[in-house]
Amino acid sequence: MDKLHIEGGNRLDGDIRISGAKNATLPILAATLLAEGPVTVRNVPHLDDITTTVELLGQMGVSVTVDEKLSIEVDTSTIDKLYAPYELVKTMRASILVLGPLLGRFGEAVVSLPGGCAIGLRPVNIHVDGLRAMGADITVENGYINAKCERLQGTHLNLETVTVTGTENLMMAAVLAKGQTIIDNAACEPEVVDLARFLNTLGADVQGAGTPRIIIDGVDKLSGGCYDVLPDRIEAGTYLVAGAITQGRVKLRDVDPSHLTAVLDKLREAGATLDVQESTIELTMNGRPKAVDITTAPYPAFPTDMQAQFAALNAVAEGRGVITETVFENRFMHVLEMQRMGAQITLDGNMAISEGVERLTAAPVMATDLRASASLVLAGLVAEGKTEISRIYHIDRGYECIEEKLHQLGARIKRAPD
Ligand code: EPU
């Protein structure tokens, strides 16, 4: 298994391009199951989670072509299995996103339950209950969700918790349902909006995405089409923190700053200077960052997917910072690894309280989930000595060409076999 080796201490300085968003591409690829004609999805990032999704569609008999520039063409006319096996779902929870489209278009789906996860319980009860309310007959047996229906029926859904993939699954199921579906307490994340735009490109009628009430008027069929995925706001935020933590300068291209408001506000509070244009962000950090307090919550509040990266920033910042995690119940594994690098952070329930230290010291550390691994890379960039990060398969699920991009910014990082 490969490891990442990072020699800390370099000030980052340079420009990079931000890739297409993983968490928009995954539901969009699942939504191609709804289309009768061929669909081309562009600006797809080169990531392990995308490969898993392509495999998932492929094993259903769907024809998927990937070109070298990472456009993906999907043709569902050859589909012959309405099935997502445990072997794939266990490597990627987002596989659950095929449930809504399969049921909506074919009236049948067998999808493995995702099971536990390193960051929390992550149940899928809201997905299942919503589909039941739309008329699906669902049983859960032997670790699989078995779902069947005649045509789904539009209804009024009031989600008990804001859930991103839950909203997406139900929205996808509703586009071919009979009549109108209203989703209240819907997630407002930009990736939900991107999915709605994609569905509308194919002929769906989805209104209100980006607000807590989404209204979907069912149509009889979706056609093919072509769509460009939005930029990855979490990848963007991660590289901005890389600039801030190394007291450097980082300019991002092909980014949508309007999706990063909460993150940019915290970077300014930490002392960064930001030059924000329509599709670029340039961050300069002169001097040691100041610690910030953060509370994660659904969009437009501060994203849980940026919490670990700010924990790294706070670890070396001036003063005390309090991070409160309200979305997932167990998302502090990175803190335990950072403590091994000399970070002064204590955990108290869902809070991580740090007293910034002048410098971290390198140590062998282990990645436990995607964003935790990113935070350990950030910590490694400012640690004295050579940090060695194992289990980096987590990082390859969500960061396209991370070594190349960090190299381009002047970091000393390399991948090496164990
Ligand atoms: N929840 C339930 N029941 C459900 C669904 C969710 O109780 O049926 C709870 C979860 O346990 C959690 C909260 O609702 O406490 C919010 O979870 P959500 O469903 O929104 O998370 P998700 O849809 O599984 C997506 C992203 C995550 C991101 C979260 C929160 C994708 C593919 N994944 O997950 O991304 O952290 O939203 O913003 O979109 C990542 O990219 O590293 C990542 C983990």
Side-chain angles (χ1 to χ4, degrees):
M1 228 183 279
D2 287 354
K3 287 185 176 170
L4 279 179
H5 297 263
I6 304 169
E7 185 112 20
N10 268 19
R11 174 183 181 272
L12 299 193
D13 187 351
D15 299 14
I16 49 166
R17 177 186 178 269
I18 292 306
S19 305
K22 167 180 87 78
N23 288 348
T25 311
L26 299 178
I28 286 173
L29 287 176
T32 61
L33 288 167
L34 291 161
E36 290 189 14
V39 177
T40 304
V41 185
R42 295 186 301 218
N43 199 30
V44 171
H46 188 285
L47 299 170
D48 284 357
D49 272 8
I50 303 301
T51 312
T52 306
T53 309
V54 167
E55 220 179 300
L56 181 62
L57 295 174
Q59 65 80 41
M60 290 182 199
V62 172
S63 142
V64 188
T65 321
V66 183
D67 81 5
E68 74 278 10
K69 284 215 213 98
L70 271 168
S71 278
I72 296 190
E73 201 171 303
V74 183
D75 180 349
T76 60
S77 59
T78 49
I79 192 163
D80 57 7
K81 261 199 230 117
L82 309 170
Y83 174 60
Y86 177 62
E87 289 65 42
L88 291 174
V89 180
K90 76 172 183 208
T91 63
M92 189 188 69
R93 300 181 52 84
S95 310
I96 188 76
L97 285 165
V98 300
L99 179 62
L102 287 179
L103 204 51
R105 178 160 170 219
F106 303 103
E108 203 180 319
V110 179
V111 177
S112 169
L113 272 175
C117 168
I119 62 177
L121 289 173
R122 304 186 78 184
V124 290
N125 57 306
I126 297 171
H127 306 227
V128 170
D129 291 347
L131 294 170
R132 279 194 178 123
M134 296 170 79
D137 179 10
I138 301 185
T139 55
V140 178
E141 248 173 358
N142 306 116
Y144 277 85
I145 302 169
N146 297 287
K148 268 200 165 52
C149 63
E150 299 296 322
R151 188 175 180 189
L152 289 171
Q153 176 68 49
T155 188
H156 188 172
L157 302 169
N158 196 351
L159 309 188
E160 68 185 63
T161 305
V162 177
T163 157
V164 176
T165 51
T167 301
E168 292 166 346
N169 232 341
L170 296 170
M171 184 162 96
M172 291 188 281
V175 292
L176 295 180
K178 188 157 181 284
Q180 189 175 73
T181 302
I182 298 177
I183 306 178
D184 273 328
N185 202 26
C188 300
E189 268 67 4
E191 294 75 20
V192 174
V193 178
D194 212 39
L195 173 63
R197 281 206 188 112
F198 169 70
L199 291 166
N200 288 345
T201 304
L202 305 185
D205 184 356
V206 182
Q207 307 300 327
T211 75
R213 169 170 281 197
I214 301 179
I215 301 173
I216 304 123
D217 280 301
V219 296
D220 288 334
K221 63 176 196 130
L222 295 192
S223 57
C226 191
Y227 193 76
D228 287 281
V229 176
L230 91 172
D232 196 313
R233 65 194 166 99
I234 306 299
E235 188 200 23
T238 304
Y239 285 109
L240 290 175
V241 175
I245 203 169
T246 62
Q247 303 183 26
R249 183 199 71 91
V250 166
K251 183 170 181 182
L252 310 181
R253 282 178 283 109
D254 293 347
V255 64
D256 187 337
S258 70
H259 297 156
L260 279 150
T261 306
V263 171
L264 298 183
D265 285 350
K266 286 295 166 188
L267 286 167
R268 278 192 198 97
E269 203 182 311
T273 306
L274 293 169
D275 179 7
V276 179
Q277 304 295 331
E278 200 184 330
S279 63
T280 63
I281 304 176
E282 183 170 9
L283 172 142
T284 314
M285 179 67 96
N286 292 318
R288 190 175 170 197
K290 289 189 275 294
V292 289
D293 293 340
I294 277 162
T295 301
T296 67
Y299 191 85
F302 191 91
T304 174
D305 288 345
M306 282 300 302
Q307 179 258 101
Q309 299 86 321
F310 271 75
L313 186 71
N314 272 356
V316 293
E318 206 179 298
R320 178 187 158 99
V322 180
I323 295 184
T324 310
E325 171 61 55
T326 75
V327 179
F328 292 111
E329 61 274 20
N330 185 28
R331 210 175 194 180
F332 282 130
M333 297 292 274
H334 47 281
V335 166
L336 306 176
E337 296 299 295
M338 284 175 201
Q339 284 170 346
R340 302 185 50 254
M341 299 174 76
Q344 299 293 314
I345 313 178
T346 48
L347 291 178
D348 181 4
N350 69 340
M351 287 192 292
I353 303 143
S354 57
E355 293 292 343
V357 294
E358 290 269 355
R359 65 177 56 81
L360 297 174
T361 47
V365 288
M366 199 170 74
T368 49
D369 73 78
L370 172 55
R371 308 305 169 187
S373 5
S375 75
L376 295 176
V377 170
L378 295 173
L381 290 174
V382 285
E384 216 167 61
K386 199 187 262 180
T387 298
E388 196 183 278
I389 308 179
S390 57
R391 299 209 181 160
I392 55 161
Y393 51 86
H394 289 293
I395 216 159
D396 296 328
R397 296 184 45 200
Y399 288 90
E400 182 175 55
C401 304
I402 187 159
E403 300 108 274
E404 287 84 346
K405 287 188 180 182
L406 282 172
H407 259 297
Q408 215 168 312
L409 296 174
R412 285 171 294 183
I413 177 169
K414 73 169 196 263
R415 185 181 293 249
D418 217 349

